[in-house]
Amino acid sequence: KMLKRVLYTVLFMGALPSLAEVSQGHISVVLLGATGDLAKKYLWQGLFQLYMDQVSSGHSFTFHGAALTALEPGQRLMFDVLKKLACPPDESPNRCAVLKDQFLKLSQYHQLKTAENYTVLNREIETLLRQEGLKEAGRIFYFSVPPFAYTEIARHINSSCRPPPGAWLRVVLEKPFGHDLESAQQLAAELTSFFREEEMYRVDHYLGKQAVAHILPFRDQNRQFLDPIWNRHHVERVEIVLKETVDAKGRTSFYEQYGVIRDVLQNHLTEALMFLTMELPANVSRAEEVLQCKLQAFQSLRGLEKNSAVLGQYQAYASQVQEELQKAQDYISTTPTFAGVLIHSDNLRWEGVPFLLTSGKALDERVGYVRVLFKNQAYCTQSETLRDAGHSQCKVKQIVFYIGHGALNTPAVLVSRNLFRPVMPEDSWREAAGQSDLHIFGQPLSDYYVYSPVKERDAYSVLISNIYHGRKDFFITTENLLASWGFWTPLLDSISHQPLRLYPGGVENQYLLDFEMVSGEVAFTLAEPVELLNPNRLMPSDYRAIQSKFRQSPLVSAWSEDLISQLASDIEKTASRTVAHSGQFHLALSGGSSPVVLFRRLARHHYAFPWKHTHIWLVDERCVPLTDTESNFFSLHSHLLQSVRVPYFNIHPMPVHLNQRLCVEEDRGTELYAKEIMALVANASFDLVLLGVGTDGHTASLFPQSENGLEGAQTVVLTESPVKPHQRMSLSLPLINKARQVFVLVLGKGKHDITTLLSRVGREPRKWPVSGVSPSSGQLVWYVDYEALLG
């Protein structure tokens, strides 16, 4: 019998202690896409390493390579790869030869193309185990295939190739896991209809990189040193970098769909970011605890905007796309091959600390690292030449998780000697002797404690071992995946047509891709030369702001970014002027999505705003708790209030949640808010009211045909919205019209139809409530971007 012959041979060579240990059951490994590039480069070697490591574990194995290729050519292709498998340098030649021979005998090729093929594979596995008298422990299906094939393969496995009850199933999935949040949700929904969450292992091979995999254990084992300094008071900035010298040649069909952000930043670099920013769970080995801490870290990330990123494309990329994808000579690709992104976390630990994520192709060197740079708060009186330089508190302080390549050409953990001597596990990391002539980030290697792996291992070997052991903490869960796409998708949408900086590639890039942080945004340090990919396309700077009339009132119009900048400046000028005249400024703000970008602009750019003398009021509120993400106050707090210094007693949320219930008339929340306005706002006339416009013409929470708030003496009313949450509280139209100034903000193509309609109709508030906005003794100004105005 084949398996027993193999096991006896291995036993004879001294690999197994006794046959009694061959009793834990049999594992069938099925590699789909067995003749593809990833399988050839990494996966078969990783499976062979698993076999070498676990041959004496008590499990027996068979390895099934599978692809669409017919049996004979597929078999030939697969075994050509297997014959080239290598053992680690520390493996004895005799044992290596025997294990490699046995691995080949335990491997076979299958054509898996139809449902019947999967049924036959299942039958073969069951027959083999019955003949050998072995119990099945589990099956691993490794999907080294394009994501469009996942659903069909998943259906076949689920219907005819699952292991019997009592045996586990582990399905391994390779990225890309979608193209954006919507596609990721769709793919996740399809897969969860066939597999349970605990059965799916989504691979991000960066989690198998030894330096990345050690970030959490390092933080855990060095809590005593890191707890006082792992925060905004001591960390100056963090850099997470993956640079490549190769270009996208031969991969342009993939790259045109994904680009550098989807290929590297959304997954590899984001996972490293999470390991740095998440709060440490009590047990870093418990996958569920790690996941919950990562999800909390995602929730704390500040949303990305267009100005959060700088983008580039190497010059030869366009011609490579034209050649490989048979595109026309005038084809313009807007796919970035370089990106630098500035990320902020708004939790208390990291508030204000910049996290820079950078990656690109055709750069000057191949290197990957995670660098935590600490603030230097020391002043050293004694000359550096007269002191122990290695421990000088005036030297740079940093911790570097060196992923590989570059000057060191090995994974490593480096800690500045003037920080602390780290605790490192001796069985897996050893202190390395410093090379006196080598410098890392401008410092001689002797300035660091340097640790490298005792045994350097390929990332895929590490991950395949973790799949075997069922270590889910090394893989991406569905929740983790969707949280990441939820964070990155808005940026990807906003930059889809952003001009890219062209760069020649390699050392010739010089300073072209250097960028800097200014007021929470990033920009290239060299303003010139900027080369646009499509010089004939009109850019925002080619238009001048339109200033004229809309509905007989002043109109300000520009591209949305410039419009928001103008609006924020106008609000600040109004506030400063009002405070100088009367000592305080009463500002009423609407909810919804449009004001969010304005709130962020005010928070990050308007440091002279007189917040100390400003009262913040709500124009409208949804009848949900103020801590609910649907709440207008929650959005206002998240995007503005927590970033500026408005006195606590100057913030006036609407009282929608009284007596543990929401917007009940008997609780008189509207009366309470009306009385508060009358008590604090002179003549109940706000200095400035900011409104938006809905696609149906509503403003505030005053909707067409509304029973309340369009007329009458009531100043604060309860209303009904046609969309959930239905119940709302709103300032009334008569109260809004008592304001000294009213600004109406209208953004986006989705508002073009209602903007056009409003330009043609008169004052008909029951049909279009915003048409009734007309301050009785104040000024109305419309701020409408080009997309809403011109379509």
Side-chain angles (χ1 to χ4, degrees):
K1 292 179 179 180
M2 182 189 72
L3 277 177
K4 286 186 179 175
R5 282 202 305 273
V6 171
L7 291 173
Y8 273 116
T9 306
V10 177
L11 173 64
F12 177 75
M13 293 301 299
L16 288 173
S18 72
L19 267 180
E21 293 195 16
V22 189
S23 59
Q24 292 185 28
H26 182 77
I27 296 173
S28 303
V29 181
V30 182
L31 175 54
L32 298 137
T35 57
D37 283 346
L38 186 64
K40 290 176 188 175
K41 287 181 182 176
Y42 303 110
L43 301 183
W44 279 118
Q45 186 64 49
L47 292 173
F48 181 42
Q49 185 65 54
L50 174 70
Y51 181 64
M52 287 188 286
D53 292 343
Q54 302 302 330
V55 69
S56 59
S57 68
H59 284 123
S60 58
F61 294 87
T62 47
F63 300 90
H64 305 265
L68 298 176
T69 310
L71 185 62
E72 192 174 320
Q75 204 165 28
R76 188 168 59 250
L77 285 169
M78 187 182 97
F79 277 94
D80 284 346
V81 177
L82 299 191
K83 288 169 188 173
K84 296 173 185 173
L85 294 174
C87 293
D90 58 352
E91 192 67 75
S92 73
N94 285 350
R95 186 172 187 270
C96 175
V98 169
L99 290 179
K100 184 174 175 181
D101 181 58
Q102 303 314 318
F103 183 78
L104 265 66
K105 288 178 180 175
L106 294 172
S107 302
Q108 53 186 302
Y109 178 81
H110 306 261
Q111 183 185 31
L112 289 185
K113 200 170 185 179
T114 66
E116 178 60 25
N117 294 150
Y118 285 85
T119 304
V120 170
L121 172 62
N122 184 63
R123 196 182 305 130
E124 286 183 17
I125 293 172
E126 290 176 345
T127 302
L128 179 68
L129 295 178
R130 191 167 54 251
Q131 289 172 350
E132 304 292 351
L134 291 169
K135 181 183 176 184
E136 187 160 17
R139 296 182 191 179
I140 297 172
F141 284 87
Y142 201 119
F143 285 40
S144 180
V145 296
F148 66 76
Y150 282 4
T151 303
E152 184 181 356
I153 294 171
R155 185 180 294 109
H156 292 322
I157 292 171
N158 187 56
S159 63
S160 58
C161 220
R162 273 186 170 273
W168 46 256
L169 172 67
R170 290 173 191 157
V171 176
V172 188
L173 305 163
E174 276 284 345
K175 78 175 184 77
F177 312 117
H179 185 264
D180 53 18
L181 178 58
E182 185 181 356
S183 59
Q185 288 171 327
Q186 183 181 346
L187 182 58
E190 289 169 355
L191 289 171
T192 51
S193 66
F194 301 115
F195 306 126
R196 297 190 300 275
E197 181 65 37
E198 63 268 22
E199 294 175 329
M200 290 186 284
Y201 289 68
R202 289 184 185 84
V203 170
D204 182 331
H205 78 272
Y206 249 59
L207 299 188
K209 299 278 187 183
Q210 286 167 290
V212 176
H214 196 62
I215 294 174
L216 273 189
F218 179 90
R219 289 182 58 195
D220 184 45
Q221 293 154 12
N222 290 279
R223 287 180 194 245
Q224 59 177 325
F225 305 119
L226 291 175
D227 275 354
I229 62 173
W230 201 254
N231 56 59
R232 61 193 166 101
H233 301 297
H234 294 271
V235 175
E236 182 178 313
R237 71 181 190 190
V238 177
E239 300 166 2
I240 305 174
V241 175
L242 173 60
K243 294 166 65 177
E244 297 182 88
T245 53
V246 298
D247 59 20
K249 191 172 184 179
R251 291 186 71 220
T252 56
S253 61
F254 167 83
Y255 222 76
E256 266 298 272
Q257 294 181 65
Y258 291 94
V260 67
I261 293 180
R262 291 179 173 92
D263 187 35
V264 177
L265 278 76
Q266 178 271 327
N267 36 68
H268 306 329
L269 304 194
T270 299
E271 286 303 307
L273 174 70
M274 291 299 100
F275 287 158
L276 294 171
T277 58
M278 62 183 268
E279 293 300 308
L280 276 182
N283 186 346
V284 296
S285 297
R286 285 184 59 86
E288 186 54 39
E289 287 186 37
V290 171
L291 171 63
Q292 291 309 313
C293 290
K294 283 169 79 174
L295 293 177
Q296 288 169 12
F298 269 118
Q299 290 168 6
S300 297
L301 296 180
R302 187 185 298 170
L304 296 173
E305 299 172 10
K306 188 163 60 175
N307 290 335
S308 302
V310 289
L311 305 171
Q313 185 188 95
Y314 65 85
Q315 287 172 340
Y317 180 76
S319 60
Q320 290 170 352
V321 170
Q322 289 166 6
E323 180 184 342
E324 293 179 19
L325 303 184
Q326 283 82 53
K327 298 288 186 181
Q329 287 298 309
D330 60 350
Y331 174 76
I332 302 295
S333 169
T334 56
T335 302
T337 61
F338 169 84
V341 179
L342 173 61
I343 294 175
H344 282 98
S345 173
D346 284 331
N347 69 14
L348 283 176
R349 182 184 293 278
W350 296 115
E351 188 177 31
V353 177
F355 291 83
L356 291 168
L357 275 60
T358 306
S359 185
K361 290 192 172 292
L363 301 182
D364 61 316
E365 64 174 334
R366 184 185 184 190
V367 68
Y369 59 83
V370 176
R371 181 190 184 203
V372 182
L373 185 64
F374 291 86
K375 294 176 181 176
N376 198 327
Q377 298 172 335
Y379 170 75
C380 297
T381 307
Q382 184 86 338
S383 169
E384 289 291 317
T385 58
L386 301 176
R387 60 167 70 238
D388 176 4
H391 290 82
S392 169
Q393 289 303 307
C394 285
K395 283 204 166 188
V396 175
K397 300 176 183 179
Q398 53 195 335
I399 297 172
V400 182
F401 299 94
Y402 204 87
I403 299 166
H405 304 290
L408 287 181
N409 201 33
T410 181
V413 176
L414 299 88
V415 179
S416 293
R417 289 180 180 270
N418 54 6
L419 269 175
F420 58 86
R421 176 185 281 275
V423 175
M424 297 290 282
E426 293 180 4
D427 60 332
S428 53
W429 292 83
R430 62 178 169 218
E431 190 165 2
Q435 302 173 37
S436 57
D437 59 335
L438 203 57
H439 283 67
I440 302 294
F441 301 113
Q443 301 296 117
L445 206 57
S446 57
D447 282 3
Y448 301 93
Y449 295 111
V450 183
Y451 295 84
S452 58
V454 171
K455 186 176 182 180
E456 197 171 329
R457 299 195 64 181
D458 169 70
Y460 278 98
S461 296
V462 172
L463 292 173
I464 287 170
S465 173
N466 288 322
I467 295 162
Y468 164 79
H469 285 105
R471 287 282 308 273
K472 287 283 286 184
D473 50 321
F474 279 81
F475 299 88
I476 309 300
T477 65
T478 301
E479 283 182 286
N480 189 156
L481 173 71
L482 298 182
S484 180
W485 275 121
F487 173 67
W488 284 100
T489 297
L491 175 69
L492 289 164
D493 290 343
S494 70
I495 63 173
S496 57
H497 298 294
Q498 188 168 325
L500 309 176
R501 170 161 293 189
L502 294 180
Y503 58 98
V507 293
E508 292 179 33
N509 295 333
Q510 294 293 313
Y511 309 110
L512 268 179
L513 298 179
D514 292 354
F515 59 93
E516 59 189 348
M517 299 170 284
V518 182
S519 301
E521 299 174 351
V522 284
F524 286 117
T525 53
L526 284 181
E528 297 294 340
V530 177
E531 295 185 61
L532 299 181
L533 290 180
N534 189 350
N536 298 319
R537 181 172 175 264
L538 289 172
M539 302 308 298
S541 57
D542 297 321
Y543 294 86
R544 290 194 302 188
I546 296 172
Q547 286 199 313
S548 56
K549 296 281 185 180
F550 184 79
R551 294 182 57 81
Q552 289 77 53
S553 294
L555 166 68
V556 180
S557 190
W559 291 105
S560 59
E561 188 178 330
D562 296 331
L563 185 72
I564 291 297
S565 176
Q566 182 65 52
L567 175 57
S569 295
D570 290 349
I571 293 174
E572 182 181 340
K573 288 173 188 171
T574 303
S576 300
R577 190 167 56 244
T578 306
V579 168
H581 180 261
S582 60
Q584 55 187 2
F585 176 59
H586 288 275
L587 173 64
L589 297 169
S590 287
S593 57
S594 293
V596 168
V597 284
L598 171 68
F599 298 161
R600 290 174 181 162
R601 180 84 195 178
L602 287 169
R604 297 179 195 177
H605 295 270
H606 291 265
Y607 300 106
F609 199 105
W611 294 115
K612 185 178 179 182
H613 305 285
T614 299
H615 284 257
I616 302 287
W617 301 83
L618 271 290
V619 169
D620 63 327
E621 182 58 279
R622 295 162 176 175
C623 292
V624 296
L626 299 186
T627 53
D628 192 304
T629 54
E630 291 276 346
S631 162
N632 289 341
F633 181 79
F634 182 90
S635 175
L636 176 64
H637 180 268
S638 300
H639 300 295
L640 177 63
L641 295 181
Q642 68 176 1
S643 303
V644 297
R645 295 183 177 176
V646 180
Y648 175 80
F649 292 107
N650 287 13
I651 299 171
H652 309 280
M654 281 185 158
V656 293
H657 197 186
L658 298 170
N659 302 321
Q660 297 184 324
R661 51 190 187 175
L662 295 164
C663 293
V664 176
E665 283 196 36
E666 291 79 13
D667 294 330
R668 297 184 174 180
T670 55
E671 290 180 33
L672 286 174
Y673 208 55
K675 285 178 181 176
E676 191 174 3
I677 293 168
M678 289 298 295
L680 297 174
V681 183
N683 302 317
S685 297
F686 290 106
D687 296 305
L688 176 60
V689 174
L690 176 72
L691 299 175
V693 180
T695 55
D696 59 354
H698 84 264
T699 192
S701 279
L702 303 172
F703 298 92
Q705 310 304 325
S706 180
E707 296 294 324
N708 302 317
L710 297 179
E711 54 191 15
Q714 226 178 333
T715 54
V716 184
V717 295
L718 292 177
T719 66
E720 287 285 325
S721 164
V723 296
K724 291 183 178 179
H726 296 298
Q727 277 191 299
R728 308 289 176 95
M729 186 179 289
S730 178
L731 302 186
S732 70
L733 195 56
L735 179 63
I736 290 169
N737 283 334
K738 289 181 71 175
R740 291 181 173 86
Q741 281 197 296
V742 177
F743 292 170
V744 182
L745 175 62
V746 191
L747 297 178
K749 280 185 181 177
K751 303 290 177 66
H752 176 60
D753 290 346
I754 188 63
T755 304
T756 304
L757 180 67
L758 290 171
S759 70
R760 298 170 181 164
V761 300
R763 188 180 191 279
E764 297 185 66
R766 292 199 65 78
K767 285 186 177 180
W768 304 286
V770 72
S771 72
V773 176
S774 179
S776 53
S777 58
Q779 183 188 35
L780 170 62
V781 183
W782 293 82
Y783 291 80
V784 187
D785 77 348
Y786 287 145
E787 290 191 328
L789 191 67
L790 307 173

